[in-house]
Amino acid sequence: MQKEYKDAIEKISLSSSDRERILANVKKAQEKPADHVIRFPFFRMGAAAAAIVVVLVSGALFRSQVIKNQSGGDGNVTATGNNEQPGDEVVWEEFDSLDDIEEKTDCKTYLLGDVSKKYEVKKVEVAQSQKHVKITYRNKKEKDNILFEYKEEENARDIISQFDNAKELPGEKVGSADVKLYGAGSTCDGMTWQQESCTFAVKLSKGCSRERAKKLVSGTKKKETGDKNARNGSKKEDPGKGNKKNPNAVGWKGDEKESSQKEKKNILKKIYNYLGFRVTIEKPAEKIIYKKVGEFESFSFYYNEREELEDCRIIGYAGWEGCPKGVADGYEETETISANGVTGTVWEKESGEKMFSFVKQDISFTLLIEDWTGEDTEEVLGELLSIIRISMDNGDSEEEPEELSEEEQLELEELRDKAQKIQDMVAESSMKQLSAFVSYPIMIYGPEIQVSSAKEWQSVSPEEIFTVDWVDAIVSYDTGKIKADTKSFQMGDSKNYMLCKIRDDDIDITEIHVAKKEPVSSSEPDIMP
């Protein structure tokens, strides 16, 4: 308030005519005083009157100035949400697309880097006089917003001040920028930084990891004039996009094209005849390619369901032991993790790029993920395991893909999702969650336990059911075998399995078979007395 008062006082001035009029009125009042007015010497009265006039005029001008500042100059008080300097007129214009920033304003166009393609540019706002831009990205499915804004001014207070009351996290150095992070614990929901004489800020309606926040900052780039892809907010197309590969990907040139269904079937049959098994990659994986590399089946695919894996090409190898020579070069073992009942090893290069290796149903797997250095490795491995299927048949009995309506296809996908949820429950050895799918009464063969109700089910020891072999057989079941006309199916193998029936688009577990453990015979000789 003191600053506004000072600024207003400095702007007060009187014209010559106003000054003469005010002094004439004061003199006239002194010459014809009213009887009830206390008489003062002329010089005192003139000084007092002049002081009163100055105070009144100052107050009026001060009030006028404050209203002008708040309203942007038109006299109507509005809240802009910015701390602009007094006298600045902030006028926000909303445009239809990012194109308009370059075409209709003098502002630079920056794009928030590494944003998932699930996000669309929902709103573009520009205050041209201040060269201040706001871009809102929206993920409609997940109801998530990202507000990206920048101003062509170093340390712009109106951008930085919005985080004054936020909890500041330890900062990060990203390139040449010192990035301030805000949020709680390990979750970041805001950040600011200086770059190219601009002040930048990002606010997220849903927090993200520090690693993700750093990628958002590092990927933020100025759009070059004439770059149509960047102008539209899309990632610039790379002529080799979709063909990139990890340098350790033995047997892959990088120019392979996705195979037709017939080509996939033929190569998988050849792989089975040579190795005695075949591995298939299930949806929602995309752009799947199979080939034989030495003593291994190899496959390539994309898994865009996870934001951090978008556009990352994944190349894998499956064989009876190890991986092809050269695949593991440059990697060092970092940790061991467990997901979906499978124990895996995480390998890492000096650059941070990671690789997974694990054994599933006696088959050795190695997965190379192009450029991926992210976190949540256990979750990522779990999701990748859920789409890898091992078959010990040659696939001759497989039928051609069934023609389904869009509604039937959605129902089938929901049914397969439920089967995968059951697999996840089994992997977690959760009796409580699995109870919701059990049809009572149910017989558990092996330990020979009859269960009549959900209450009795909770009293069964998990060790009686969740043996290592049983869990592995259930989570390895290919849910893609469930068809639109399937009425019942056996989830597992010939010894460890669950019988399931489909009723009203739901799955009921009607029988559980757990193979009995064979007694271990001692090979030590008897000790004679």
Side-chain angles (χ1 to χ4, degrees), residues 232-353:
N232 290 331
S234 61
K235 295 180 179 178
K236 187 175 181 180
E237 286 296 328
D238 184 337
K241 180 176 171 58
N243 296 324
K244 289 183 179 179
K245 66 181 183 65
N246 187 298
N248 288 47
V250 175
W252 294 84
K253 296 179 180 180
D255 57 355
E256 292 84 1
K257 295 182 179 180
E258 185 175 4
S259 306
S260 65
Q261 279 297 125
K262 185 176 181 180
E263 289 171 333
K264 289 177 182 179
K265 187 173 182 179
N266 288 339
I267 187 63
L268 287 172
K269 187 173 182 179
K270 290 179 181 178
I271 288 171
Y272 172 80
N273 291 336
Y274 186 84
L275 296 174
F277 70 85
R278 61 191 180 93
V279 173
T280 54
I281 308 299
E282 306 295 328
K283 291 183 178 180
E286 303 173 11
K287 300 179 182 178
I288 306 165
I289 306 173
Y290 301 99
K291 62 167 58 182
K292 179 179 172 295
V293 177
E295 304 291 320
F296 298 84
E297 175 187 340
S298 189
F299 42 83
S300 166
F301 64 93
Y302 289 84
Y303 187 77
N304 292 327
E305 291 299 297
R306 285 193 72 93
E307 186 175 319
E308 63 267 42
L309 292 182
E310 277 191 331
D311 298 324
C312 288
R313 191 181 190 189
I314 301 171
I315 292 178
Y317 300 89
W320 288 110
E321 187 176 357
C323 63
K325 185 178 180 181
V327 169
D329 289 355
Y331 284 95
E332 297 290 337
E333 183 177 343
T334 58
E335 61 177 323
T336 300
I337 59 176
S338 181
N340 291 9
V342 175
T343 299
T345 302
V346 182
W347 304 75
E348 193 169 327
K349 285 185 176 181
E350 288 185 4
S351 61
E353 195 169 352

Side-chain angles (χ1 to χ4, degrees), residues 468-481:
V468 174
D469 291 340
W470 189 81
V471 169
D472 192 46
I474 301 301
V475 299
S476 299
Y477 173 74
D478 181 2
T479 58
K481 293 179 179 179

